[in-house]
Amino acid sequence: QVQLVESGGGLVQAGGSLRLSCAASGSFFGIKTMNWYRQAPGNQRELVATVMTDNGRTDYLDSVKGRFTISRDYAKNTVSLQMNGLKPEDTAVYYCNARTTLWDIWGQGTQVTVSS
């Protein structure tokens, strides 16, 4: 089974940058997409970024386009999210997710806080 562990969250000022990392263990066989979600208190969990494991295609939430970049490093079994130009509205717990047509695997989350 795949296990996911997020890291790299923290407290930054508006305009700053953070790089989140999702370390994966186990087999990626059958995984269709790797994703980053986020959830702020009182809000729904929303999909932030996606990378397709078969062709590398990426997609992003409109509000983060041009600021966030999702990437993968197969040698390190890592999926990362580079976040630049952070805004207070980016404050949330960020979750790594692996998805097949039948099941999802979730990390435990890492807190990102952006101060004004």
Side-chain angles (χ1 to χ4, degrees):
Q1 292 185 354
V2 175
Q3 294 184 337
L4 307 174
V5 179
E6 303 96 336
S7 63
L11 174 63
V12 298
Q13 294 184 345
S17 297
L18 284 173
R19 186 176 181 87
L20 305 184
S21 179
C22 176
S25 63
S27 177
F28 285 97
F29 191 82
I31 294 176
K32 303 300 181 184
T33 65
M34 296 293 298
N35 314 281
W36 284 97
Y37 284 78
R38 69 186 182 188
Q39 186 168 23
N43 294 339
Q44 298 183 50
R45 188 171 297 188
E46 61 183 351
L47 178 62
V48 176
T50 293
V51 58
M52 310 296 176
T53 58
D54 56 351
N55 60 17
R57 183 181 182 274
T58 60
D59 201 6
Y60 299 90
L61 182 68
D62 285 345
S63 63
V64 309
K65 287 181 178 178
R67 299 189 296 120
F68 291 10
T69 302
I70 187 171
S71 61
R72 63 203 186 280
D73 186 335
Y74 293 111
K76 297 180 179 179
N77 290 330
T78 299
V79 175
S80 65
L81 185 69
Q82 179 66 44
M83 305 185 295
N84 299 324
L86 284 163
K87 304 175 180 180
E89 53 262 42
D90 296 318
T91 296
V93 177
Y94 284 71
Y95 298 90
C96 186
N97 163 267
R99 176 163 292 140
T100 73
T101 57
L102 298 176
W103 49 265
D104 280 2
I105 299 295
W106 293 90
Q108 295 303 119
T110 185
Q111 177 70 48
V112 172
T113 302
V114 184
S115 63
S116 301

